mmCIF file of all heavy atoms in Angstrom:
data_model
loop_
_atom_site.group_PDB
_atom_site.id
_atom_site.type_symbol
_atom_site.label_atom_id
_atom_site.label_comp_id
_atom_site.label_asym_id
_atom_site.label_seq_id
_atom_site.Cartn_x
_atom_site.Cartn_y
_atom_site.Cartn_z
ATOM 1 N N THR A 1 0.803 -1.171 -0.003
ATOM 2 C CA THR A 1 0.031 -0.010 0.008
ATOM 3 C C THR A 1 0.906 1.241 -0.045
ATOM 4 O O THR A 1 0.642 2.276 -0.696
ATOM 5 C CB THR A 1 -0.902 0.013 1.218
ATOM 6 O OG1 THR A 1 -1.675 -1.292 1.294
ATOM 7 C CG2 THR A 1 -1.973 1.081 1.158
ATOM 8 N N LEU A 2 1.966 1.208 0.775
ATOM 9 C CA LEU A 2 2.889 2.368 0.726
ATOM 10 C C LEU A 2 3.523 2.625 -0.726
ATOM 11 O O LEU A 2 3.606 3.800 -1.051
ATOM 12 C CB LEU A 2 4.099 2.158 1.755
ATOM 13 C CG LEU A 2 3.670 2.456 3.309
ATOM 14 C CD1 LEU A 2 4.880 2.041 4.072
ATOM 15 C CD2 LEU A 2 3.401 3.925 3.464
ATOM 16 N N SER A 3 3.855 1.532 -1.343
ATOM 17 C CA SER A 3 4.300 1.684 -2.702
ATOM 18 C C SER A 3 3.303 2.380 -3.669
ATOM 19 O O SER A 3 3.565 3.211 -4.509
ATOM 20 C CB SER A 3 4.881 0.452 -3.265
ATOM 21 O OG SER A 3 3.825 -0.493 -3.436
ATOM 22 N N LEU A 4 2.061 1.944 -3.487
ATOM 23 C CA LEU A 4 0.921 2.572 -4.304
ATOM 24 C C LEU A 4 0.778 4.070 -3.958
ATOM 25 O O LEU A 4 0.576 4.911 -4.864
ATOM 26 C CB LEU A 4 -0.374 1.798 -4.077
ATOM 27 C CG LEU A 4 -0.395 0.416 -4.634
ATOM 28 C CD1 LEU A 4 -1.848 -0.232 -4.139
ATOM 29 C CD2 LEU A 4 -0.400 0.479 -6.114
ATOM 30 N N ILE A 5 0.983 4.330 -2.690
ATOM 31 C CA ILE A 5 0.855 5.793 -2.251
ATOM 32 C C ILE A 5 1.875 6.648 -2.867
ATOM 33 O O ILE A 5 1.609 7.738 -3.364
ATOM 34 C CB ILE A 5 0.865 5.853 -0.723
ATOM 35 C CG1 ILE A 5 -0.572 5.259 -0.059
ATOM 36 C CG2 ILE A 5 0.897 7.280 -0.213
ATOM 37 C CD1 ILE A 5 -0.552 5.079 1.369
ATOM 38 N N PHE A 6 3.209 6.181 -2.714
ATOM 39 C CA PHE A 6 4.254 6.951 -3.178
ATOM 40 C C PHE A 6 4.272 7.034 -4.687
ATOM 41 O O PHE A 6 4.682 8.123 -5.240
ATOM 42 C CB PHE A 6 5.606 6.458 -2.563
ATOM 43 C CG PHE A 6 5.664 6.823 -1.201
ATOM 44 C CD1 PHE A 6 5.858 5.779 -0.215
ATOM 45 C CD2 PHE A 6 5.741 8.161 -0.695
ATOM 46 C CE1 PHE A 6 5.988 6.044 1.127
ATOM 47 C CE2 PHE A 6 5.819 8.413 0.599
ATOM 48 C CZ PHE A 6 6.016 7.301 1.486
ATOM 49 N N GLN A 7 3.898 5.929 -5.401
ATOM 50 C CA GLN A 7 3.975 5.944 -6.882
ATOM 51 C C GLN A 7 2.771 6.686 -7.514
ATOM 52 O O GLN A 7 2.866 7.290 -8.482
ATOM 53 C CB GLN A 7 4.108 4.541 -7.429
ATOM 54 C CG GLN A 7 5.298 3.868 -7.103
ATOM 55 C CD GLN A 7 5.278 2.368 -7.475
ATOM 56 O OE1 GLN A 7 4.401 1.920 -7.880
ATOM 57 N NE2 GLN A 7 6.595 1.818 -7.340
ATOM 58 N N GLY A 8 1.578 6.660 -6.722
ATOM 59 C CA GLY A 8 0.389 7.320 -7.324
ATOM 60 C C GLY A 8 0.247 8.704 -6.907
ATOM 61 O O GLY A 8 -0.769 9.291 -7.272
ATOM 62 N N GLY A 9 1.180 9.170 -6.104
ATOM 63 C CA GLY A 9 0.990 10.731 -5.836
ATOM 64 C C GLY A 9 -0.113 10.904 -4.708
ATOM 65 O O GLY A 9 -0.687 11.946 -4.668
ATOM 66 N N LEU A 10 -0.234 9.855 -3.858
ATOM 67 C CA LEU A 10 -1.289 10.048 -2.817
ATOM 68 C C LEU A 10 -0.775 10.393 -1.449
ATOM 69 O O LEU A 10 -1.405 10.102 -0.527
ATOM 70 C CB LEU A 10 -2.086 8.730 -2.783
ATOM 71 C CG LEU A 10 -2.710 8.163 -4.065
ATOM 72 C CD1 LEU A 10 -3.268 6.821 -3.884
ATOM 73 C CD2 LEU A 10 -3.889 9.133 -4.429
ATOM 74 N N GLN A 11 0.364 11.079 -1.435
ATOM 75 C CA GLN A 11 0.903 11.446 -0.117
ATOM 76 C C GLN A 11 0.066 12.316 0.694
ATOM 77 O O GLN A 11 -0.049 12.207 1.902
ATOM 78 C CB GLN A 11 2.356 12.078 -0.375
ATOM 79 C CG GLN A 11 3.423 11.096 -0.867
ATOM 80 C CD GLN A 11 3.527 11.240 -2.364
ATOM 81 O OE1 GLN A 11 2.607 11.724 -3.027
ATOM 82 N NE2 GLN A 11 4.615 10.789 -2.849
ATOM 83 N N GLU A 12 -0.539 13.233 -0.010
ATOM 84 C CA GLU A 12 -1.397 14.310 0.834
ATOM 85 C C GLU A 12 -2.532 13.577 1.468
ATOM 86 O O GLU A 12 -2.947 13.826 2.549
ATOM 87 C CB GLU A 12 -1.893 15.337 -0.136
ATOM 88 C CG GLU A 12 -0.844 16.153 -0.927
ATOM 89 C CD GLU A 12 0.232 16.849 -0.034
ATOM 90 O OE1 GLU A 12 -0.346 17.264 0.981
ATOM 91 O OE2 GLU A 12 1.364 16.975 -0.452
ATOM 92 N N LYS A 13 -3.183 12.629 0.679
ATOM 93 C CA LYS A 13 -4.362 11.927 1.262
ATOM 94 C C LYS A 13 -3.883 10.948 2.403
ATOM 95 O O LYS A 13 -4.601 10.847 3.417
ATOM 96 C CB LYS A 13 -5.047 11.176 0.177
ATOM 97 C CG LYS A 13 -5.766 12.070 -0.744
ATOM 98 C CD LYS A 13 -6.560 11.254 -1.840
ATOM 99 C CE LYS A 13 -7.250 12.210 -2.801
ATOM 100 N NZ LYS A 13 -7.940 11.508 -3.804
ATOM 101 N N PHE A 14 -2.778 10.325 2.274
ATOM 102 C CA PHE A 14 -2.201 9.517 3.238
ATOM 103 C C PHE A 14 -1.986 10.311 4.543
ATOM 104 O O PHE A 14 -2.342 9.871 5.666
ATOM 105 C CB PHE A 14 -0.961 8.829 2.747
ATOM 106 C CG PHE A 14 -0.169 8.145 3.822
ATOM 107 C CD1 PHE A 14 -0.723 6.992 4.376
ATOM 108 C CD2 PHE A 14 1.066 8.505 4.209
ATOM 109 C CE1 PHE A 14 -0.054 6.307 5.451
ATOM 110 C CE2 PHE A 14 1.734 7.816 5.163
ATOM 111 C CZ PHE A 14 1.258 6.739 5.825
ATOM 112 N N LEU A 15 -1.356 11.464 4.404
ATOM 113 C CA LEU A 15 -1.055 12.371 5.513
ATOM 114 C C LEU A 15 -2.409 12.787 6.213
ATOM 115 O O LEU A 15 -2.469 12.921 7.468
ATOM 116 C CB LEU A 15 -0.222 13.562 5.148
ATOM 117 C CG LEU A 15 1.260 13.313 5.009
ATOM 118 C CD1 LEU A 15 2.022 14.520 4.481
ATOM 119 C CD2 LEU A 15 1.883 12.864 6.371
ATOM 120 N N ALA A 16 -3.370 13.152 5.319
ATOM 121 C CA ALA A 16 -4.696 13.574 5.997
ATOM 122 C C ALA A 16 -5.281 12.514 6.803
ATOM 123 O O ALA A 16 -5.765 12.683 7.903
ATOM 124 C CB ALA A 16 -5.566 14.012 4.849
ATOM 125 N N LEU A 17 -5.218 11.240 6.366
ATOM 126 C CA LEU A 17 -5.719 10.102 7.057
ATOM 127 C C LEU A 17 -4.919 9.866 8.279
ATOM 128 O O LEU A 17 -5.338 9.473 9.331
ATOM 129 C CB LEU A 17 -5.774 8.800 6.217
ATOM 130 C CG LEU A 17 -6.193 7.540 6.769
ATOM 131 C CD1 LEU A 17 -7.709 7.591 7.296
ATOM 132 C CD2 LEU A 17 -6.050 6.310 5.765
ATOM 133 N N ALA A 18 -3.562 9.929 8.131
ATOM 134 C CA ALA A 18 -2.614 9.649 9.309
ATOM 135 C C ALA A 18 -2.922 10.691 10.286
ATOM 136 O O ALA A 18 -2.736 10.348 11.582
ATOM 137 C CB ALA A 18 -1.169 9.691 8.837
ATOM 138 N N ARG A 19 -3.206 11.886 10.062
ATOM 139 C CA ARG A 19 -3.345 12.871 11.071
ATOM 140 C C ARG A 19 -4.617 12.635 11.875
ATOM 141 O O ARG A 19 -4.763 13.142 13.070
ATOM 142 C CB ARG A 19 -3.516 14.268 10.390
ATOM 143 C CG ARG A 19 -2.219 14.840 9.865
ATOM 144 C CD ARG A 19 -2.395 16.147 9.413
ATOM 145 N NE ARG A 19 -2.344 16.991 10.534
ATOM 146 C CZ ARG A 19 -1.982 18.267 10.478
ATOM 147 N NH1 ARG A 19 -1.565 18.825 9.375
ATOM 148 N NH2 ARG A 19 -2.040 19.055 11.523
ATOM 149 N N LEU A 20 -5.589 11.863 11.436
ATOM 150 C CA LEU A 20 -6.761 11.591 12.089
ATOM 151 C C LEU A 20 -6.502 10.468 13.121
ATOM 152 O O LEU A 20 -7.461 10.130 14.004
ATOM 153 C CB LEU A 20 -7.923 11.263 11.091
ATOM 154 C CG LEU A 20 -8.373 12.396 10.222
ATOM 155 C CD1 LEU A 20 -9.309 11.789 9.225
ATOM 156 C CD2 LEU A 20 -8.906 13.498 10.962
ATOM 157 N N CYS A 21 -5.456 9.675 12.999
ATOM 158 C CA CYS A 21 -5.131 8.541 13.822
ATOM 159 C C CYS A 21 -4.210 8.889 15.009
ATOM 160 O O CYS A 21 -3.376 9.794 14.862
ATOM 161 C CB CYS A 21 -4.462 7.418 13.014
ATOM 162 S SG CYS A 21 -5.550 6.929 11.629
ATOM 163 N N ARG A 22 -4.351 8.294 16.066
ATOM 164 C CA ARG A 22 -3.469 8.436 17.237
ATOM 165 C C ARG A 22 -2.178 7.729 16.976
ATOM 166 O O ARG A 22 -1.149 8.200 17.469
ATOM 167 C CB ARG A 22 -4.108 7.912 18.474
ATOM 168 C CG ARG A 22 -5.354 8.723 18.984
ATOM 169 C CD ARG A 22 -5.803 8.318 20.214
ATOM 170 N NE ARG A 22 -4.820 8.742 21.288
ATOM 171 C CZ ARG A 22 -4.894 8.273 22.525
ATOM 172 N NH1 ARG A 22 -5.892 7.569 22.952
ATOM 173 N NH2 ARG A 22 -3.996 8.718 23.408
ATOM 174 N N SER A 23 -2.139 6.666 16.215
ATOM 175 C CA SER A 23 -0.827 6.067 15.846
ATOM 176 C C SER A 23 -0.908 5.452 14.467
ATOM 177 O O SER A 23 -2.038 5.043 13.981
ATOM 178 C CB SER A 23 -0.603 4.922 16.996
ATOM 179 O OG SER A 23 -1.520 3.879 16.910
ATOM 180 N N VAL A 24 0.256 5.334 13.885
ATOM 181 C CA VAL A 24 0.311 4.732 12.478
ATOM 182 C C VAL A 24 1.436 3.681 12.541
ATOM 183 O O VAL A 24 2.518 3.978 12.960
ATOM 184 C CB VAL A 24 0.619 5.865 11.447
ATOM 185 C CG1 VAL A 24 0.830 5.293 10.057
ATOM 186 C CG2 VAL A 24 -0.418 6.964 11.506
ATOM 187 N N LEU A 25 1.077 2.594 12.041
ATOM 188 C CA LEU A 25 2.020 1.444 12.168
ATOM 189 C C LEU A 25 2.311 0.970 10.640
ATOM 190 O O LEU A 25 1.337 0.617 9.950
ATOM 191 C CB LEU A 25 1.513 0.274 12.887
ATOM 192 C CG LEU A 25 2.368 -0.928 13.011
ATOM 193 C CD1 LEU A 25 3.630 -0.614 13.889
ATOM 194 C CD2 LEU A 25 1.592 -2.030 13.733
ATOM 195 N N CYS A 26 3.619 1.000 10.261
ATOM 196 C CA CYS A 26 3.917 0.509 8.851
ATOM 197 C C CYS A 26 4.515 -0.849 8.934
ATOM 198 O O CYS A 26 5.558 -0.949 9.652
ATOM 199 C CB CYS A 26 4.838 1.454 8.308
ATOM 200 S SG CYS A 26 4.239 3.167 7.955
ATOM 201 N N CYS A 27 3.898 -1.795 8.483
ATOM 202 C CA CYS A 27 4.405 -3.173 8.548
ATOM 203 C C CYS A 27 4.799 -3.722 7.202
ATOM 204 O O CYS A 27 4.309 -3.332 6.208
ATOM 205 C CB CYS A 27 3.502 -4.066 9.364
ATOM 206 S SG CYS A 27 1.901 -4.286 8.510
ATOM 207 N N ARG A 28 5.608 -4.640 7.157
ATOM 208 C CA ARG A 28 5.993 -5.284 5.827
ATOM 209 C C ARG A 28 6.495 -4.357 4.834
ATOM 210 O O ARG A 28 6.117 -4.403 3.692
ATOM 211 C CB ARG A 28 4.954 -6.245 5.370
ATOM 212 C CG ARG A 28 4.398 -7.266 6.328
ATOM 213 C CD ARG A 28 5.354 -8.371 6.350
ATOM 214 N NE ARG A 28 4.834 -9.484 7.226
ATOM 215 C CZ ARG A 28 5.548 -10.226 7.962
ATOM 216 N NH1 ARG A 28 6.894 -9.989 8.053
ATOM 217 N NH2 ARG A 28 4.994 -11.000 8.775
#
């Protein structure tokens, strides 16, 4: 999913979603 975010230019949406969460865990 991270590779799709970085290749698809979805960084802004990822950050907007991450700001709504108390913690973000990147696995695998």
Side-chain angles (χ1 to χ4, degrees):
T1 310
L2 280 175
S3 64
L4 290 173
I5 288 170
F6 286 119
Q7 290 173 357
L10 302 171
Q11 291 96 338
E12 306 297 328
K13 292 182 180 180
F14 171 65
L15 278 177
L17 177 63
R19 289 185 77 154
L20 299 174
C21 302
R22 291 187 69 190
S23 62
V24 178
L25 179 68
C26 299
C27 61
R28 303 284 182 216

